Amino acid sequence: MSINSVPTTDQLPVVVIGAGPTGLAAAAHLIERDIEPLVLEAGPSAGNAVRGWAHVRLFSPWAEITAPAAEKLLAPTGWARPDGATYPTGGDWAEHYLQPLADVLGDKVRYGATVTGVARAGRDRIVDSGRDEQPFTVHIQSADGHEERITARAVIDASGTWSTPSPAGANGLPALGEKSAADRISYRVPDLTDPAVRARYAGKRTAVVGSGASAFTALAHLADLAKDEPGTHAMWILRRGITGSTYGGGEADQLAARGALGLRAKAAVENGYASAATGFRTESVERDADGRLVLAAEDGRRLDPVDEVIVLTGFRPDLSFLSELRLGLDERLQAPTALAPLIDPNIHSCGTVYPHGVNELSHPEQGVYLVGMKSYGRAPTFLAMTGYEQVRSITAAIAGDREAAERVELTLPETGVCGGAGLFDDPDAAQAGAGGGCCAAPATLQIGIGAPVSSGGC
């Protein structure tokens, strides 16, 4: 190739890491802006992470989990969104929306392509000279082990957090013995419609560690199993006390299905299918003489033996392949510095999400963006429509349309639950009203400029 045929930076593709909901929406917005996307997906199909929880029903309906730009791409194929008022499972979402969208994108999506590193071409993290003028180089490894380098004008990392679940240990590291007990520990909501999985938990005592929607789902499923299989019981492990907000927003939650899920978890406890251990910060996982697991806390408490443990303590971003980039990340959440205060569960109140787009998602390294679940780092409050709005703003910025990039429009539902005041994960915050108590009435917060988009989430 002659030097005159070398493409300029703005002729290079924008690499999107991950063919999940946010990544595919980013590609749709790039196409809308006449910018070439290249989506790199480590898995064999679109929505690989979503397929990992195919059996779990979303708490947002179809109307709230499809991106408008994606619908425009799909429309010429005859695709029609399923009934907007119905609630799909993860499997439905992948099969009826994500995969068709990826199919429309065609060779702009590459499967079996694992990103192993991203850097500035010819510049490691240290070098300042000429850095901003250099394109990005994205290192990938294919399923057969072949290595490749791709040059990109910008990088949108929508790889999510599914591959890096948090451990049971209360200090963020695996509890003592947690790794050696891996045969009895799962970090996913079990699919009890699978006969083999059902047999694993039927008639058994199972510890469920966690306090979010995934833990609610597991408790509800185990309670259903207990109705049919005598001896099935769940031990719910909570690092904090039980408060008015422990079970979520309930009937005050603007996402009704999410509120109902919390109420199902509450019923599991009240009906005796589950018992709770509060203020329990797991320090070790031991085996008794019969091979069952015993969880021990930092304060010396030891629980009765259980047969299985399900750890649902959240997820964290994999930043290893971004180590040569200059990212500005919050020291607590590992989210972009400007975004972190808006989503920090230590101070964040009522599930509100303030307007954010390219300004809050930018880094010292210009042209690289973490979006979707990954942008929230370790925060648990992400909603799908938030990701769609993020990539709308970012792609506008990449296209040079600063006015559109800075015009952030969001309408998101309240959880109906207030937190904050530094009481997140506080075992002593058991009294009514701690951390703000429960919001008095449901409300839909409308923020941003212009016509609001639909509320949404997953």
Side-chain angles (χ1 to χ4, degrees):
M1 177 183 290
S2 69
I3 191 167
N4 291 330
S5 64
V6 175
T8 61
T9 299
D10 62 2
Q11 293 174 315
L12 295 171
V14 172
V15 164
V16 179
I17 306 174
T22 307
L24 293 174
H29 278 289
L30 288 166
I31 289 173
E32 200 170 49
R33 292 278 182 175
D34 293 322
I35 299 172
E36 181 74 9
L38 177 60
V39 182
L40 302 176
E41 168 56 51
S45 57
N48 193 57
V50 173
R51 294 175 193 274
W53 45 273
H55 58 291
V56 177
R57 192 165 298 281
L58 282 78
F59 50 65
S60 291
W62 272 111
E64 299 174 348
I65 58 170
T66 57
E71 291 195 22
K72 290 179 185 177
L73 272 184
L74 286 163
T77 70
W79 178 88
R81 187 181 65 196
D83 182 353
T86 60
Y87 294 84
T89 62
D92 296 333
W93 200 15
E95 180 181 353
H96 299 299
Y97 170 65
L98 299 177
Q99 193 61 57
L101 177 55
D103 292 344
V104 168
L105 291 167
D107 60 6
K108 294 177 174 58
V109 180
R110 289 181 56 179
Y111 301 109
T114 299
V115 176
T116 59
V118 182
R120 286 285 186 180
R123 307 290 190 276
D124 66 15
R125 186 186 182 112
I126 300 174
V127 178
D128 289 336
S129 177
R131 186 178 192 88
D132 290 343
E133 289 73 43
Q134 296 301 310
F136 292 94
T137 178
V138 181
H139 295 207
I140 66 173
Q141 185 171 28
S142 63
D144 63 4
H146 174 72
E147 293 183 321
E148 186 179 347
R149 307 290 183 262
I150 295 172
T151 306
R153 64 183 287 187
V155 176
I156 299 175
D157 183 357
S159 59
T161 57
W162 179 252
S163 64
T164 47
S166 296
N171 61 3
L173 299 174
L176 291 173
E178 183 172 348
K179 291 182 179 179
S180 61
D183 60 319
R184 297 288 187 92
I185 300 178
S186 170
Y187 298 86
R188 307 287 189 241
V189 175
D191 180 4
L192 298 182
T193 64
D194 182 322
V197 176
R198 185 179 179 89
R200 177 174 178 175
Y201 298 99
K204 307 289 181 60
R205 284 178 53 84
T206 300
V208 177
V209 186
S211 60
S214 294
F216 293 166
T217 302
L219 288 168
H221 288 182
L222 289 170
D224 290 342
L225 181 63
K227 297 172 186 177
D228 300 326
E229 299 285 350
T232 303
H233 188 78
M235 171 60 70
W236 189 15
I237 312 300
L238 290 155
R239 294 172 183 168
R240 47 186 163 174
I242 291 181
T243 73
S245 63
T246 295
Y247 298 102
E251 294 178 357
D253 196 326
Q254 285 289 296
L255 290 176
R258 181 172 57 188
L261 183 59
L263 295 177
R264 286 185 64 193
K266 183 178 182 181
V269 174
E270 293 179 345
N271 294 333
Y273 297 121
S275 49
T278 60
F280 192 97
R281 296 176 178 270
T282 305
E283 182 176 62
S284 66
V285 180
E286 306 164 7
R287 289 187 189 264
D288 68 7
D290 297 322
R292 303 175 83 195
L293 302 183
V294 177
L295 274 62
E298 295 174 347
D299 60 9
R301 280 187 291 163
R302 296 165 62 85
L303 299 181
D304 291 338
V306 296
D307 301 288
E308 299 283 343
V309 178
I310 301 173
V311 180
L312 300 168
T313 52
F315 297 85
R316 55 187 61 177
D318 177 7
L319 301 169
S320 61
F321 59 88
L322 304 176
S323 61
E324 292 306 314
L325 298 177
R326 299 174 177 180
L327 302 181
L329 298 175
D330 178 73
E331 66 274 12
R332 291 168 295 180
L333 297 185
Q334 297 178 297
T337 305
L339 174 61
L342 311 183
I343 60 175
D344 188 346
N346 289 290
I347 58 176
H348 190 50
S349 179
C350 290
T352 54
V353 178
Y354 298 95
H356 69 278
V358 67
N359 290 336
E360 291 78 12
L361 296 168
S362 293
H363 295 273
E365 192 81 71
Q366 295 298 304
V368 62
Y369 306 95
L370 311 186
V371 300
M373 280 290 298
K374 193 160 187 174
S375 73
Y376 271 42
R378 300 191 183 199
T381 51
F382 181 76
L383 297 173
M385 289 300 286
T386 302
Y388 298 157
E389 177 63 12
Q390 288 176 343
V391 295
R392 184 207 61 78
S393 173
I394 286 168
T395 54
I398 293 172
D401 187 350
R402 202 69 200 182
E403 187 277 330
E406 296 182 1
R407 186 183 66 245
V408 179
E409 305 151 0
L410 273 176
T411 302
L412 290 174
E414 295 274 14
T415 63
V417 179
C418 298
L423 297 177
F424 178 75
D425 207 27
D426 186 344
D428 297 322
Q431 70 273 22
C438 186
C439 299
T444 298
L445 181 69
Q446 297 188 12
I447 47 186
I449 304 170
V453 297
S454 299
S455 61
C458 56

